[in-house]
Amino acid sequence: MPRINYANTFTDQRVKLETENLTSQIDGARQTFTISRPFFSTRLYVYYNGVRQQVGYNITIASDTTFTCDFTPETGDTLFVDYSPI
């Protein structure tokens, strides 16, 4: 599967979003992942192997810095997030 190169940050007309690579947290068992900064729950976008996941469907926000997947990413998979920091 081709890898997607993500920018460190990008801005739309309404809000600044940060991008973070969480791939290093994947260990084949973990389902809960931590973002380095608190985020607004309405501005979290999770990309698993380049495919955007849906918060409320297969992504659950656990706190203002963590979220849980209803799947278990395997070693070699990628996990990126775009989020709006608080």
Side-chain angles (χ1 to χ4, degrees), residues 18-76:
E18 300 285 331
T19 298
E20 205 165 312
N21 181 349
L22 304 181
T23 302
S24 64
Q25 296 181 32
I26 295 174
D27 62 7
R30 178 182 292 198
Q31 289 183 293
T32 300
F33 298 90
T34 303
I35 297 172
S36 63
R37 297 172 62 189
F39 59 87
F40 288 101
S41 61
T42 57
R43 299 293 292 178
L44 175 68
Y45 307 99
V46 178
Y47 300 89
Y48 173 57
N49 288 333
V51 178
R52 185 170 162 190
Q53 306 300 301
Q54 287 190 310
V55 173
Y57 179 70
N58 50 4
I59 301 295
T60 303
I61 296 175
S63 76
D64 64 354
T65 58
T66 61
F67 66 91
T68 302
C69 304
D70 73 348
F71 53 90
T72 305
E74 298 293 327
T75 303

